[in-house]
Amino acid sequence: MTVTAESAPEGAQQPPPTAQLLRIPAQGRRGAGRDRFLDVIRLLVMGLVVAQHWWLPTLVGDADGLTVGSVLSHDGGFLLTWGVQVMPLIFFVGGAANLISWRSASGRGTAASTWIARRLRRLAWPVVPLAVLWIVTSHAMVLGGVPETAMAAGSGAAGMVLWFLAVYVLVVVCTPLLSAAQERFGWRVTAALFTGAAVVDVLRFGTGVEAFGFANIAFVWLGVHQLGFAYGHGAIRRPHAVLMAVGGVAAALTLAIVGPYSPNMTGVFALESSNVSPPTLVLAALGTAQVGVAVLLRDRINAWAARPGPARLLDRVCPQLMTVYLWHMVPLSVIAGVLVFGLGMNTPEPMTGAWVLWGALGTVALLALSVPLARCAVRLEEPPAVLSGAPGTVRVLAAAALVGGGLLVLTVSGLGVGLVPLLGLLAVVSGLALTRAPRPRATSVATVPRVAVDLFR
């Protein structure tokens, strides 16, 4: 999700500041032409996501192995979620990156199906070695005597992070269509998507049928993703950003206070209800506010990112952020296992000094283990050369369905023991295989109809 000047949009006279930055030519140094503002947001989001996966669960060793609870079940814990729920920002960044990438590819004459296939390969292939490691290790450790509940907690959390990739398959497939819609209709596209989210919520809460809410996986996340398109077009000027920040906060608070919504903004570690699973209009409003605030701070963020130290940090870390996201549950599970089963320590009472110390020390240990692991794992993320070529529209849509469905299965089942994770992994691998160009059919006398053979005699 890196935005480069090479793929900058063309056309408008005197483009606004946002578009100007996307047009800056590379000047021979590493990272030149990248939108540092988007890089900083990615770093912030991934850092907070990884940190909350350590801070929010409560771990208690017992006779059954391990009991996992949540800090958010304590009084006032939901307030934390309004600060740590930053996933809308990563969809915003993804929208800007996808827009630039698609414009560059289509400008070179690349078909939409080919572009989607390339994105699917980059998105799904890193999951394969991750899932193989977790599934094999989970079976081996359970057979070796490790409590199945403890192993299920770690493998379930490892699968939980894949929900983002499952949804991202959807936004990748929709990018060519919604990019064209943005060109023609501008802000009306985002408004239509968020209106759809409101309609879904009315149906869900009005009828009591929770299943209706899952339609908002499309409306909410595509709506926030569309804000990235608006940013890429230079359409989010300062007045828009102010309106988004103020209006988004007001709408989110009003809906959460007087509406039928949960006060919790994240679904981490199985709380009974949240505004994420399924997504709601409250999450859309919060995401809009976050984007508005971020754009208002853009100049200051860019000034910080332009310094030599931060620039080097972004150059080194940003290419590995998705690797850290996918793999951080491995060191997290190791740390938790050592503390709970090796040292007999449980998570202290939340919101106490001991809990803060537990969280801080665990975060330091997690960082120390995640960085070298990411350096090794990043080598596994390059799709093999056999996955190449133009598969065509039908094959790429089938591939997206298999990859997205497989990732969803792995999200729900986890990367542990049993047949279901294996089926999920098989679906992902099958989808990846479909992103290849179809093999040409060999023509031989044996396969040509007899009447055609006779013509050449």
Side-chain angles (χ1 to χ4, degrees):
M1 288 186 288
T2 298
V3 180
T4 64
E6 175 189 4
S7 52
E10 300 177 357
Q13 298 179 354
Q14 296 298 323
T18 307
Q20 285 179 356
L21 186 131
L22 296 180
R23 294 165 66 100
I24 292 175
Q27 300 181 11
R29 68 183 187 277
R30 188 180 181 187
R34 290 224 311 252
D35 190 337
R36 291 296 195 186
F37 165 67
L38 297 179
D39 281 347
V40 172
I41 293 178
R42 292 178 64 222
L43 179 60
L44 171 66
V45 170
M46 289 304 180
L48 283 174
V49 168
V50 171
Q52 68 179 280
H53 288 164
W54 173 254
W55 283 78
L56 295 187
T58 57
L59 310 174
V60 178
D62 52 32
D64 295 326
L66 182 70
T67 298
V68 180
S70 176
V71 171
L72 307 182
S73 63
H74 289 252
D75 292 341
F78 72 90
L79 293 173
L80 292 175
T81 68
W82 287 74
V84 301
Q85 176 51 275
V86 287
M87 288 306 291
L89 284 174
I90 206 65
F91 279 93
F92 161 71
V93 171
N98 282 333
L99 174 68
I100 304 306
S101 175
W102 166 238
R103 278 186 160 184
S104 176
S106 60
R108 297 190 302 268
T110 302
S113 59
T114 303
W115 180 83
I116 292 171
R118 291 172 182 168
R119 299 299 258 192
L120 287 177
R121 294 171 199 138
R122 299 291 302 180
L123 188 71
W125 175 254
V127 175
V128 175
L130 174 73
V132 169
L133 175 67
W134 268 105
I135 292 172
V136 171
T137 302
S138 295
H139 282 85
M141 294 190 73
V142 169
L143 290 175
V146 173
E148 191 166 344
T149 55
M151 204 63 230
S155 61
M160 175 187 68
V161 304
L162 299 181
W163 76 266
F164 166 70
L165 299 185
V167 177
Y168 209 75
V169 169
L170 172 66
V171 301
V172 164
V173 171
C174 292
T175 288
L177 178 63
L178 291 180
S179 173
Q182 184 71 29
E183 292 277 358
R184 183 171 182 179
F185 301 109
W187 282 103
R188 285 173 287 180
V189 183
T190 306
L193 289 168
F194 285 161
T195 299
V199 171
V200 168
D201 280 0
V202 170
L203 287 174
R204 173 190 172 189
F205 293 112
T207 64
V209 179
E210 287 292 305
F212 283 141
F214 288 96
N216 270 344
I217 291 175
F219 287 116
V220 170
W221 293 123
L222 284 174
V224 179
H225 186 259
Q226 199 74 19
L227 291 175
F229 286 4
Y231 173 84
H233 279 273
I236 306 181
R237 302 172 186 268
R238 185 172 183 83
H240 300 101
V242 171
L243 180 61
M244 290 167 63
V246 176
V249 168
L253 290 175
T254 300
L255 290 169
I257 293 172
V258 305
Y261 298 97
S262 166
N264 174 44
M265 294 304 300
T266 182
V268 173
F269 294 101
L271 284 182
E272 293 183 1
S273 63
S274 73
N275 288 292
V276 177
S277 183
T280 68
L281 192 61
V282 177
L283 183 63
L286 180 65
T288 301
Q290 290 175 344
V291 172
V293 171
V295 173
L296 289 174
L297 296 175
R298 181 171 170 276
D299 289 342
R300 294 185 180 183
I301 291 173
N302 279 333
W304 175 81
R307 298 175 182 174
R312 287 193 297 269
L313 173 67
L314 293 171
D315 285 337
R316 175 173 292 186
V317 174
C318 282
Q320 300 181 17
L321 284 178
M322 187 53 64
T323 311
V324 172
Y325 176 78
L326 289 176
W327 287 86
H328 74 276
M329 282 299 177
V330 173
L332 190 149
S333 297
V334 170
I335 295 169
V338 169
L339 291 177
V340 175
F341 297 109
L343 301 178
M345 300 174 62
N346 297 325
T347 304
E349 182 68 20
M351 312 302 177
T352 63
W355 173 76
V356 172
L357 182 61
W358 163 280
L361 294 178
T363 301
V364 171
L366 181 58
L367 180 63
L369 294 178
S370 295
V371 170
L373 176 62
R375 289 177 180 172
C376 296
V378 74
R379 302 171 186 173
L380 304 174
E381 297 199 351
E382 185 67 27
V386 70
L387 296 178
S388 61
T393 301
V394 174
R395 284 172 64 94
V396 83
L397 290 178
L402 282 169
V403 169
L407 290 170
L408 182 60
V409 169
L410 293 174
T411 299
V412 175
S413 68
L415 305 179
V417 298
L419 179 62
V420 177
L422 292 174
L423 293 176
L425 177 58
L426 177 62
V428 172
V429 172
S430 299
L432 283 168
L434 282 179
T435 66
R436 299 174 57 194
R439 294 180 179 179
R441 295 182 179 180
T443 302
S444 65
V445 173
T447 60
V448 176
R450 185 69 186 177
V451 64
V453 174
D454 290 340
L455 290 174
F456 291 94
R457 285 182 173 176

